[in-house]
Amino acid sequence: MTALDAYEPMFSALCREVGLCLHEKGQKRVVEALPKGLDAAVRAVFAAEGVDEPNAPGDLKRAVRDCLKSNLPA
């Protein structure tokens, strides 16, 4: 079992619901950013996907944030 296993449902939902399917290195970046808050995790998702976060549509930012928030491990 790896440290990312607890977050697998969250990353599966992100891929399925938002269409952002992160590789393991990207997932690790997001998990490391989570203690800094959801906004930091959203920035990590965009960085992992190569998306220019400041210019990303607000709807996409909101969708990523909502998906992460609703699927965080307990």
Side-chain angles (χ1 to χ4, degrees), residues 18-35:
V18 186
L20 297 175
C21 305
L22 304 180
H23 49 80
E24 190 172 331
K25 187 177 176 183
Q27 291 178 3
K28 189 175 178 185
R29 279 179 161 178
V30 173
V31 170
E32 290 171 353
L34 276 169

Side-chain angles (χ1 to χ4, degrees), residues 9-21 60 63-64 66-68 70-71:
M10 180 179 77
F11 291 117
S12 292
L14 187 64
C15 183
R16 191 176 55 252
E17 296 172 16
V18 186
L20 297 175
C21 305
L60 180 59
V64 170
D66 291 347
C67 184
L68 293 178
S70 64
N71 291 288

